[in-house]
Amino acid sequence: MYDFDSIIPRRGTSSIKWDARPPFEADTEGVIPLWVADMDFKAAPFIIDVLRKRVEHGVFGYVCVPDSYYEAVCRWFSGRHGWKVEKDWIIYTTGVVPALSAAVKALSRPGEKVILQSPVYNCFFSSVRNNGCEILDVPLLYHDGTYSYDFDGLERACADPAAKVMLLCNPHNPAGRVWTREELARVGDIARRHDVTVVSDEIHCEIVMPGFTYTPFASVSPENQACCVTLCSPSKSFNTASLQIANIITSNPEWRKFIDRAINVNEICDVNPFGVLALEAEYSPEGAEWLKEMNQYIYDNYLLLRKKLSDWTVCKLEGTYLPWVDVSSLGLPTEKIEEELLRNYKVWVNAGAMYGTEGFIRINLATPRSVLAEGLDRVSRGLAALAASSGK
């Protein structure tokens, strides 16, 4: 049994989640942060053990990535997710966001269009813009507390001659969907017919709720494999983001050459020994057991959230630890809701506007249940007050 209930003090440790300042003036003393996608759980003992051993070695020079690293990645995705990955397909880098930017830079040119589906992770928007490309948004369809693809809209977008790349989020942040094999096959079919490359961000792939199964986009068929680039990292699932390790995986050798060039141009080709060792420890039987317990804990936290926020529509959470809550009935900009909750109720959530969609807030469940319960009570009181003051 792993311990997810212990409260590990993080304030004063240069934690973005606990020590960052909001984009508006506010007193953050006593705030419960339920915003950025960062867990408050202590790293698993088997991760700490390998890192401690490396620290005790005492020399921290440049590192080469060993064969055992690639073997761990290949073994994990084959055994756990039924996706056969070859060593030569893997390009390591420092994180999924740098990987995303490198893939966009490598596979499109300034002025071309990149397709995405809002609401979606905010760095999708910035990665496209920072590379001089145009966003072609095909919003997901929202109905009865869940989301689905607008396949007709995707067809039209992919038919645009200027559209070269489609960004996918699987599992989806913040909609909480774990896309089915059938959905991913249909996306792949549309992309291939219009010669659009799919770049699939699968960083949340290990955080899946009971009853749902993550399917790598590339594992659906040889055709899907041939038209995509997959971005992945254990950092989100095991809360090791600061160790800075991620992988870009594609079977297309020409794309790998372009991506490798983009990574080197941006000087994000060097990683540290802690990230390498942590990945090997995480992609192991012990890692699988930790994930099993962690996912159950997150699911129980999700049930608590549904109970605490029973007056609001909470989108069905299939994957990630970031439920999406419908507050559209308030009729207020979500940035104002975020600010009100932080200023007056001492709880910090994410505004839906950050992800390209108004009317929703995103809440982080990856914290000890006692902390979450208090944070949700504050959210509930704040939303009720806003509803009363707006006459809703």
Side-chain angles (χ1 to χ4, degrees):
M1 284 289 292
Y2 293 105
D3 176 15
F4 301 101
D5 285 317
S6 291
I7 298 173
I8 311 298
R10 300 187 66 194
R11 189 164 276 120
T13 64
S14 299
S15 158
I16 287 179
K17 185 177 185 180
W18 287 84
D19 293 326
R21 304 292 302 181
F24 45 82
E25 285 299 320
D27 177 13
T28 57
E29 182 68 29
V31 165
I32 294 177
L34 301 178
W35 62 297
V36 67
D38 179 328
M39 294 181 184
D40 292 321
F41 307 137
K42 190 172 185 177
F46 54 86
I47 300 172
I48 295 172
D49 287 344
V50 298
L51 298 182
R52 180 182 292 116
K53 183 177 179 181
R54 187 65 179 82
V55 167
E56 289 172 351
H57 177 261
V59 181
F60 309 112
Y62 297 115
V63 64
C64 60
V65 175
D67 285 344
S68 56
Y69 174 92
Y70 298 99
E71 291 164 3
V73 174
C74 295
R75 184 171 57 246
W76 180 265
F77 280 99
S78 175
R80 186 172 173 87
H81 301 300
W83 176 29
K84 184 174 174 19
V85 174
E86 301 290 343
K87 173 187 174 182
D88 291 346
W89 298 358
I90 302 169
I91 302 172
Y92 61 80
T93 187
T94 56
V96 163
V97 172
L100 177 66
S101 183
V104 172
K105 180 185 289 290
L107 301 172
S108 62
R109 295 179 179 176
E112 292 180 335
K113 296 180 181 179
V114 176
I115 301 164
L116 50 78
Q117 304 93 37
S118 63
V120 75
Y121 178 47
N122 51 295
C123 286
F124 277 31
F125 298 97
S126 58
S127 290
V128 175
R129 295 189 181 111
N130 290 344
N131 283 291
C133 295
E134 180 182 338
I135 292 169
L136 185 51
D137 188 12
V138 183
L140 297 173
L141 302 176
Y142 177 64
H143 176 71
D144 196 25
T146 193
Y147 283 85
S148 60
Y149 280 115
D150 177 359
F151 288 112
D152 291 338
L154 279 181
E155 188 81 50
R156 290 190 297 271
C158 288
D160 186 328
K164 302 301 179 182
V165 172
M166 180 195 303
L167 303 185
L168 194 72
C169 196
N170 174 42
H172 194 281
N173 169 26
R177 281 297 317 276
V178 175
W179 303 114
T180 65
R181 180 172 294 272
E182 292 72 25
E183 288 170 317
L184 296 173
R186 191 167 176 185
V187 171
D189 176 66
I190 292 170
R192 285 192 306 276
R193 283 191 284 102
H194 298 287
D195 198 25
V196 170
T197 303
V198 175
V199 176
S200 187
D201 172 1
E202 306 197 355
I203 193 171
H204 292 273
C205 66
E206 306 302 341
I207 310 167
V208 179
M209 299 300 97
F212 297 94
T213 301
Y214 153 72
T215 302
F217 180 90
S219 74
V220 170
S221 65
E223 293 77 17
N224 266 31
Q225 174 72 76
C227 79
C228 90
V229 174
T230 300
L231 315 178
C232 58
S233 170
S235 64
K236 195 67 65 180
S237 304
F238 293 92
N239 201 37
T240 51
S242 64
L243 301 184
Q244 296 190 312
I245 196 76
N247 294 298
I248 304 169
I249 304 175
T250 181
S251 62
N252 187 308
E254 186 175 18
W255 293 350
R256 289 200 302 272
K257 181 176 68 176
F258 294 153
I259 292 168
D260 189 61
R261 177 62 179 161
I263 285 174
N264 280 274
V265 164
N266 289 327
E267 303 294 356
I268 50 171
C269 49
D270 290 324
V271 293
N272 73 71
F274 302 105
V276 172
L277 290 169
L279 180 143
E280 292 187 34
E282 290 155 352
Y283 286 170
S284 69
E286 285 181 299
E289 184 58 35
W290 190 90
L291 286 172
K292 179 180 178 181
E293 294 187 24
M294 186 274 295
N295 280 329
Q296 183 62 52
Y297 194 89
I298 293 295
Y299 181 68
D300 290 340
N301 277 0
Y302 168 63
L303 296 180
L304 175 66
L305 179 141
R306 294 190 68 93
K307 180 179 179 181
K308 295 278 189 181
L309 301 185
S310 59
D311 291 336
W312 305 89
T313 298
V314 177
C315 290
K316 186 177 184 181
L317 188 68
E318 301 175 358
T320 83
Y321 51 72
L322 304 162
W324 193 233
V325 181
D326 187 343
V327 293
S328 57
S329 62
L330 293 175
L332 297 171
T334 50
E335 288 178 344
K336 290 295 294 182
I337 296 171
E338 175 185 353
E339 184 173 347
E340 173 71 13
L341 290 175
L342 195 150
R343 284 184 186 276
N344 296 319
Y345 294 90
K346 297 290 187 178
V347 60
W348 192 351
V349 301
N350 283 126
M354 173 183 274
Y355 310 100
T357 301
E358 282 288 3
F360 294 80
I361 57 174
R362 194 188 78 164
I363 299 176
N364 184 340
L365 296 175
T367 196
R369 195 156 299 138
S370 59
V371 176
L372 179 66
E374 174 58 27
L376 293 175
D377 284 340
R378 297 181 189 187
V379 172
S380 180
R381 291 198 302 272
L383 293 179
L386 285 169
S389 64
S390 63
K392 302 298 183 181

